[in-house]
Amino acid sequence: MSKPVSFLALLMSLNAGFVDTAGFLALQGLFTAHVTGNFVTFGAAIVLGTSGALAKLLALPVFCAVVIVTRVFSFYLPAMGLPIFRSMLAIKTLLLAAGGAAAATFGPFVQGDSWQAIVTGMLLVAAMAIQNAAHRIHMGTDPPSTLMTGTTTQIMIDIADVLRRAPASVLTVARPRLGKMAASVAAFALGCAAGACLYAKFGTWCFVLPPLLALPAVFLAGPEPAPEKTA
């Protein structure tokens, strides 16, 4: 039987929705978690002449570089006596704290391409890159915590299978998966709503919350899997 989505995964989805929405509002349309969305907003910024084009252009290479560095660095952690998964989540928490401090200190950001906005944005992008890498490597059975398009598509496919009364062999997989993915999307949506509301109320001070949400995740991380063998 499929296990329900973990509380850790839900907490990460909640935080990703919060950071992505608050970042979009505070940083002139920058996506910090759904970084490929910056292709669209970059094009819009070029056509409309709005600020933030440079930050949007930098987001994807920064995201990719951080994922590569995280993956390579993770293989050195056991030799240092450090757990891989928890260390990744701890570094993510520190980056969120640094991003929150920068947002509270330098915000509000009138110009998305100011160095203050770029530094703040890239700290948050780096944090979300580590979350994505950690989730992909260590939480493969849980739905993605940041990108909801594929998850929503699968939810609709599973709903269709339930409605058409698909064979039992299909529904045995579809029904538990539907519950897990719906919970993940709901947590992300709740984070989006919280990010929007708290940004409207407190401005860039709302970025104090993400590291506080990320900290419990460090202690919720499960036991380390066996280390991968290198060729």
Side-chain angles (χ1 to χ4, degrees):
M1 181 179 291
S2 176
K3 295 181 180 179
V5 63
S6 67
F7 179 70
L8 173 59
L10 292 177
L11 188 61
M12 291 169 71
S13 292
L14 176 74
N15 214 1
F18 188 104
V19 172
D20 214 23
T21 302
F24 184 87
L25 294 171
L27 298 165
Q28 304 296 320
L30 176 70
F31 285 110
T32 54
H34 182 199
V35 289
T36 52
N38 289 308
F39 288 134
V40 176
T41 54
F42 172 73
I46 294 298
V47 171
L48 299 175
T50 53
S51 70
L54 178 58
K56 296 174 181 67
L57 188 62
L58 288 173
L60 185 60
V62 168
F63 184 94
C64 294
V66 172
V67 170
I68 292 171
V69 171
T70 298
R71 178 63 167 168
V72 173
F73 181 62
S74 69
F75 289 100
Y76 294 93
L77 289 170
M80 299 165 62
L82 296 172
I84 298 174
F85 189 27
R86 285 183 176 170
S87 296
M88 293 167 77
L89 295 181
I91 295 170
K92 181 198 82 170
T93 302
L94 291 175
L95 286 169
L96 286 175
T105 301
F106 299 126
F109 303 103
V110 178
Q111 293 294 324
D113 283 334
S114 66
W115 71 266
Q116 297 94 332
I118 290 175
V119 167
T120 302
M122 294 311 107
L123 285 169
L124 297 174
V125 166
M128 289 296 99
I130 292 176
Q131 174 166 314
N132 272 275
H135 194 287
R136 186 84 173 180
I137 297 167
H138 296 282
M139 300 171 65
T141 60
D142 285 312
S145 61
T146 57
L147 184 60
M148 295 295 145
T149 305
T151 303
T152 303
T153 302
Q154 187 62 59
I155 288 172
M156 296 305 111
I157 292 171
D158 289 341
I159 289 175
D161 285 340
V162 171
L163 291 176
R164 72 182 180 89
R165 297 180 181 178
S169 59
V170 175
L171 294 180
T172 299
V173 176
R175 282 199 173 104
R177 181 174 58 203
L178 178 59
K180 290 176 66 173
M181 290 190 166
S184 180
V185 171
F188 186 86
L190 180 61
C192 291
C197 292
L198 292 182
Y199 177 76
K201 180 70 174 178
F202 300 107
T204 52
W205 279 95
C206 73
F207 287 99
V208 172
L209 184 59
L212 298 179
L213 290 174
L215 185 59
V218 177
F219 302 99
L220 288 170
E224 294 291 315
E228 296 180 27
K229 294 181 179 180
T230 56

